[in-house]
Amino acid sequence: MRAVSGARDEVGRPGSAQAGGPPRRGRRSPLDALIMLAGVAVAVAAAAPIVSRWLYNQPDQRLVDLEVYREGGLAALRGAPLYDFLTQPPQLLPFTYPPFAAVLAVPFTLLSWRAAQWAWTALIYAALVIAVWYAFRDLIRRTGRWAPLVLGVLVAAMAWLDPVRDQVRFGQVGLFLLAMCLADCCTRSARWPRGLLVGLALAIKLVPGVFLIWFLITGRRDAFVNALVTAVVATLGAFAVLPHDSAGYWFGALLQGGDRTGAVDGTTNQAINGIVARLIDQGPARTAVWLVLALPMAYFGFLLARRATYTADVLVGPRPAVTGRIGTDHWAAADPRSGASAYSLLLAGVAITGLLSVLLSPVGWIHHLVWMIPVAGALVGDGRDTRRCLSGLAIWIFFLFPLPWWGAHLSGRGHAPIARVWGSLERDAFGLAAIAAVLVLGIWLPNRLGRQIGREDPSQRAAEVGTLAT
């Protein structure tokens, strides 16, 4: 692996000129406090209608997946079978996650159902703030003292993406997993064993396991070992607490797949398997077509994730800048002094890997596509490249609307044949857009930023708009 870690003997004190960080600020002025409050106000104002809608709708429709987690925690406390219960009608949902997730849900059983809903929703938005910070780090940092307001605006914008709204609607864990994976893969110098957060995410839900592959193919072997060990330890811990349920999951419920997670051919399944299932009836032919499409997607997808990450390392060069205090290790491409382009490509590699976790899974629900947040962030970068900004804006606009559900309506009976054909395509819109995003991040973005090696890209002129000129 090239230029993953920086030299430890070039570290200056945080905030010093040698460290290259921003100069130390004195006491915050009243204007700084107002900017902070404005950022919070914008984010809260954007989230309020979403929270109001989904926390005050019909009682049996509120955060139904949180009910699954909470009932799992109750089953763990009572010693009841974890994989035999169903939630209350009309949902009748089973617990489909590893036993470790039920252990983590136990604290929410100590709260009333209403308090648990509010606490979970607050945590969802806290995870969104973390994800937005990592996705748009360079753009936010570039705005100087206005950063809190810019962060608030970006959180507000991302809160209205359809997959993010669904996270609140169902009370899902996707934003938690997104924040954990971004923190593990995009932090400059981790204060924890790199890979630990991915390992915990893997113990909670299996799909973050794709990052084990990313760690390996990009030469981050220490992170791979840490993630694998963490996942194994957490899983064995759950075995110790819930031995029968753990055996039942790993050797029974896990193998049932789509029979427990829902209809594979449903509109909300935007994975490749879901796209195929809507075209071909269940049987060997459907499985064969899925494998024919999924295997090349996996091969070329991970190849493109590796390419984006390696291009980031090339941009850093053989002697990457090291700033601030060093944690367990140092990833040079994530260092602000290595440049916004290097970080964008690192983020692109991570985002591609996250998208593959949705596309390659037998079921990849719409709410799993919160990975479009780092996709948009990787495209926008620090905001200096107009074409990249327009690409990120296009992604954001595209995922604002429930296009697959509009397509499902058009593809039903009672519509003209041409409308039904268009509806069938629109029904797969998010999955097809995810595939397109993999190609854009893995081919177009590295090609565009790779031109900076040896010469400056003339189309990326330095902006000169007040504080944004830094």
Short mmCIF file of all heavy atoms in Angstrom, two decimals, residues 3 20 25 28 45 69 81 113 117 125 173 182 213 221 226 252 300 324 333 339 355 363 368 374 396 418 461-463:
data_model
loop_
_atom_site.label_atom_id
_atom_site.label_comp_id
_atom_site.label_asym_id
_atom_site.label_seq_id
_atom_site.Cartn_x
_atom_site.Cartn_y
_atom_site.Cartn_z
N ALA A 3 1.73 5.05 0.71
CA ALA A 3 1.44 6.29 1.43
C ALA A 3 0.21 6.21 2.32
O ALA A 3 -0.58 7.13 2.39
CB ALA A 3 1.28 7.45 0.46
N GLY A 20 0.35 22.78 10.65
CA GLY A 20 -0.44 23.17 9.49
C GLY A 20 -1.91 23.34 9.78
O GLY A 20 -2.71 23.50 8.88
N ARG A 25 -7.74 30.08 17.85
CA ARG A 25 -8.66 31.20 17.99
C ARG A 25 -8.77 31.57 19.46
O ARG A 25 -8.72 30.72 20.33
CB ARG A 25 -10.03 30.83 17.43
CG ARG A 25 -10.01 30.51 15.94
CD ARG A 25 -11.39 30.10 15.50
NE ARG A 25 -12.33 31.19 15.72
CZ ARG A 25 -12.91 31.89 14.74
NH1 ARG A 25 -12.60 31.64 13.50
NH2 ARG A 25 -13.76 32.84 15.01
N ARG A 28 -14.46 33.09 21.65
CA ARG A 28 -15.42 33.26 20.56
C ARG A 28 -16.21 34.55 20.75
O ARG A 28 -16.60 34.91 21.85
CB ARG A 28 -16.38 32.07 20.51
CG ARG A 28 -15.70 30.78 20.05
CD ARG A 28 -16.71 29.68 19.89
NE ARG A 28 -16.08 28.46 19.39
CZ ARG A 28 -15.87 28.19 18.12
NH1 ARG A 28 -16.23 29.07 17.20
NH2 ARG A 28 -15.31 27.07 17.75
N ALA A 45 -34.97 23.22 11.93
CA ALA A 45 -36.13 23.60 11.13
C ALA A 45 -36.36 22.62 9.98
O ALA A 45 -37.51 22.32 9.63
CB ALA A 45 -35.94 25.02 10.59
N TYR A 69 -35.97 -3.88 17.13
CA TYR A 69 -34.77 -3.90 17.97
C TYR A 69 -35.15 -3.96 19.45
O TYR A 69 -34.56 -4.71 20.23
CB TYR A 69 -33.92 -2.64 17.73
CG TYR A 69 -33.62 -2.35 16.29
CD1 TYR A 69 -33.64 -1.04 15.81
CD2 TYR A 69 -33.31 -3.36 15.39
CE1 TYR A 69 -33.37 -0.75 14.49
CE2 TYR A 69 -33.05 -3.08 14.06
CZ TYR A 69 -33.08 -1.78 13.62
OH TYR A 69 -32.83 -1.49 12.31
N PRO A 81 -37.06 -16.82 23.06
CA PRO A 81 -36.39 -17.06 21.77
C PRO A 81 -36.36 -15.79 20.93
O PRO A 81 -37.41 -15.17 20.67
CB PRO A 81 -37.25 -18.15 21.12
CG PRO A 81 -37.94 -18.82 22.25
CD PRO A 81 -38.19 -17.75 23.27
N TRP A 113 -41.92 3.41 25.51
CA TRP A 113 -41.89 3.31 24.06
C TRP A 113 -41.81 4.71 23.43
O TRP A 113 -41.08 4.93 22.47
CB TRP A 113 -43.12 2.56 23.57
CG TRP A 113 -43.32 2.50 22.08
CD1 TRP A 113 -44.47 2.73 21.40
CD2 TRP A 113 -42.34 2.16 21.09
NE1 TRP A 113 -44.27 2.56 20.05
CE2 TRP A 113 -42.97 2.20 19.82
CE3 TRP A 113 -40.99 1.82 21.14
CZ2 TRP A 113 -42.31 1.94 18.63
CZ3 TRP A 113 -40.33 1.55 19.93
CH2 TRP A 113 -40.98 1.61 18.71
N GLN A 117 -38.61 6.24 21.22
CA GLN A 117 -38.73 6.80 19.87
C GLN A 117 -37.99 8.13 19.76
O GLN A 117 -37.26 8.37 18.79
CB GLN A 117 -40.21 7.00 19.53
CG GLN A 117 -41.00 5.72 19.39
CD GLN A 117 -42.48 5.99 19.17
OE1 GLN A 117 -42.86 6.96 18.54
NE2 GLN A 117 -43.32 5.13 19.71
N TYR A 125 -30.25 11.70 14.08
CA TYR A 125 -29.80 12.99 13.56
C TYR A 125 -28.38 13.31 14.04
O TYR A 125 -27.64 14.01 13.32
CB TYR A 125 -30.79 14.09 13.95
CG TYR A 125 -32.00 14.08 13.04
CD1 TYR A 125 -33.25 13.66 13.50
CD2 TYR A 125 -31.89 14.46 11.71
CE1 TYR A 125 -34.35 13.64 12.66
CE2 TYR A 125 -32.98 14.44 10.86
CZ TYR A 125 -34.22 14.03 11.34
OH TYR A 125 -35.29 13.98 10.49
N VAL A 173 -31.05 1.65 11.46
CA VAL A 173 -29.68 1.80 11.98
C VAL A 173 -28.70 2.25 10.90
O VAL A 173 -27.50 2.38 11.17
CB VAL A 173 -29.17 0.47 12.58
CG1 VAL A 173 -30.00 0.05 13.76
CG2 VAL A 173 -29.12 -0.64 11.51
N LEU A 182 -17.58 5.77 8.09
CA LEU A 182 -16.87 6.97 7.65
C LEU A 182 -15.83 7.40 8.67
O LEU A 182 -14.71 7.79 8.31
CB LEU A 182 -17.87 8.10 7.42
CG LEU A 182 -18.76 8.00 6.18
CD1 LEU A 182 -19.72 9.18 6.11
CD2 LEU A 182 -17.94 7.92 4.91
N ILE A 213 -13.06 -6.28 2.83
CA ILE A 213 -12.45 -6.43 1.51
C ILE A 213 -11.70 -5.16 1.14
O ILE A 213 -10.57 -5.21 0.62
CB ILE A 213 -13.52 -6.78 0.47
CG1 ILE A 213 -14.23 -8.09 0.84
CG2 ILE A 213 -12.91 -6.88 -0.93
CD1 ILE A 213 -15.39 -8.44 -0.07
N ARG A 221 -4.01 -3.51 6.12
CA ARG A 221 -4.14 -4.83 6.75
C ARG A 221 -4.30 -4.76 8.25
O ARG A 221 -4.98 -5.59 8.86
CB ARG A 221 -2.94 -5.69 6.36
CG ARG A 221 -2.91 -6.03 4.87
CD ARG A 221 -1.74 -6.87 4.46
NE ARG A 221 -1.79 -7.17 3.03
CZ ARG A 221 -1.36 -6.38 2.07
NH1 ARG A 221 -0.82 -5.20 2.38
NH2 ARG A 221 -1.46 -6.72 0.80
N ASN A 226 -7.95 -5.56 12.87
CA ASN A 226 -8.69 -4.97 13.99
C ASN A 226 -10.19 -5.12 13.82
O ASN A 226 -10.92 -5.43 14.77
CB ASN A 226 -8.33 -3.49 14.12
CG ASN A 226 -6.92 -3.26 14.60
OD1 ASN A 226 -6.32 -4.13 15.24
ND2 ASN A 226 -6.37 -2.09 14.30
N GLY A 252 -29.06 -21.00 11.35
CA GLY A 252 -30.45 -21.18 10.98
C GLY A 252 -31.06 -19.95 10.34
O GLY A 252 -31.24 -19.88 9.14
N PHE A 300 -15.60 -5.46 -10.57
CA PHE A 300 -15.25 -4.14 -11.08
C PHE A 300 -15.50 -3.06 -10.03
O PHE A 300 -14.80 -2.04 -9.99
CB PHE A 300 -16.01 -3.84 -12.37
CG PHE A 300 -15.54 -4.64 -13.54
CD1 PHE A 300 -16.29 -5.70 -14.04
CD2 PHE A 300 -14.32 -4.36 -14.14
CE1 PHE A 300 -15.85 -6.45 -15.11
CE2 PHE A 300 -13.86 -5.10 -15.23
CZ PHE A 300 -14.63 -6.16 -15.71
N GLY A 324 -0.82 17.61 13.56
CA GLY A 324 -1.54 17.31 14.79
C GLY A 324 -1.01 16.09 15.49
O GLY A 324 0.00 15.50 15.13
N ALA A 333 -3.97 10.44 3.22
CA ALA A 333 -4.99 11.01 2.32
C ALA A 333 -6.09 11.73 3.09
O ALA A 333 -6.79 12.57 2.53
CB ALA A 333 -5.57 9.91 1.44
N GLY A 339 -4.42 17.85 0.89
CA GLY A 339 -5.21 18.42 -0.19
C GLY A 339 -6.62 17.86 -0.25
O GLY A 339 -6.87 16.70 0.10
N LEU A 355 -21.69 1.61 -1.36
CA LEU A 355 -22.72 1.33 -2.37
C LEU A 355 -22.74 -0.16 -2.74
O LEU A 355 -23.81 -0.73 -2.97
CB LEU A 355 -22.47 2.17 -3.62
CG LEU A 355 -22.72 3.67 -3.48
CD1 LEU A 355 -22.36 4.38 -4.78
CD2 LEU A 355 -24.17 3.97 -3.10
N VAL A 363 -30.87 -8.23 -0.39
CA VAL A 363 -31.86 -7.17 -0.20
C VAL A 363 -31.14 -5.89 0.16
O VAL A 363 -30.38 -5.84 1.12
CB VAL A 363 -32.90 -7.54 0.89
CG1 VAL A 363 -33.86 -8.60 0.39
CG2 VAL A 363 -32.24 -7.99 2.17
N HIS A 368 -31.17 1.98 2.88
CA HIS A 368 -29.74 1.66 2.93
C HIS A 368 -28.91 2.63 2.09
O HIS A 368 -27.69 2.73 2.28
CB HIS A 368 -29.49 0.23 2.43
CG HIS A 368 -30.08 -0.82 3.32
ND1 HIS A 368 -30.21 -2.14 2.93
CD2 HIS A 368 -30.56 -0.75 4.58
CE1 HIS A 368 -30.77 -2.84 3.91
NE2 HIS A 368 -30.98 -2.01 4.93
N PRO A 374 -22.04 10.43 1.27
CA PRO A 374 -20.62 10.56 0.90
C PRO A 374 -20.39 10.58 -0.60
O PRO A 374 -19.38 11.12 -1.05
CB PRO A 374 -19.96 9.34 1.56
CG PRO A 374 -21.06 8.37 1.79
CD PRO A 374 -22.28 9.20 2.06
N TRP A 396 -28.05 14.90 -5.36
CA TRP A 396 -28.93 15.31 -4.25
C TRP A 396 -30.36 15.47 -4.74
O TRP A 396 -31.30 14.96 -4.12
CB TRP A 396 -28.42 16.62 -3.66
CG TRP A 396 -29.30 17.16 -2.57
CD1 TRP A 396 -29.47 16.65 -1.31
CD2 TRP A 396 -30.14 18.32 -2.65
NE1 TRP A 396 -30.36 17.42 -0.61
CE2 TRP A 396 -30.79 18.45 -1.39
CE3 TRP A 396 -30.39 19.26 -3.66
CZ2 TRP A 396 -31.68 19.48 -1.13
CZ3 TRP A 396 -31.28 20.28 -3.39
CH2 TRP A 396 -31.91 20.39 -2.14
N ILE A 418 -46.58 2.24 -22.85
CA ILE A 418 -45.33 3.01 -22.78
C ILE A 418 -45.11 3.53 -21.36
O ILE A 418 -43.98 3.58 -20.87
CB ILE A 418 -45.36 4.18 -23.79
CG1 ILE A 418 -43.99 4.87 -23.83
CG2 ILE A 418 -46.47 5.15 -23.46
CD1 ILE A 418 -42.89 4.01 -24.33
N ARG A 461 -10.37 26.97 -11.13
CA ARG A 461 -9.78 28.22 -10.68
C ARG A 461 -10.07 28.44 -9.20
O ARG A 461 -11.11 28.06 -8.70
CB ARG A 461 -10.36 29.39 -11.49
CG ARG A 461 -10.07 29.28 -12.98
CD ARG A 461 -10.75 30.42 -13.73
NE ARG A 461 -10.48 30.32 -15.16
CZ ARG A 461 -11.01 31.15 -16.05
NH1 ARG A 461 -11.82 32.12 -15.66
NH2 ARG A 461 -10.74 31.00 -17.33
N ALA A 462 -9.13 29.06 -8.54
CA ALA A 462 -9.32 29.34 -7.12
C ALA A 462 -10.43 30.37 -6.95
O ALA A 462 -10.44 31.42 -7.59
CB ALA A 462 -8.02 29.87 -6.50
N ALA A 463 -11.38 30.05 -6.08
CA ALA A 463 -12.48 30.97 -5.82
C ALA A 463 -12.02 32.11 -4.94
O ALA A 463 -11.14 31.95 -4.10
CB ALA A 463 -13.63 30.23 -5.14
#
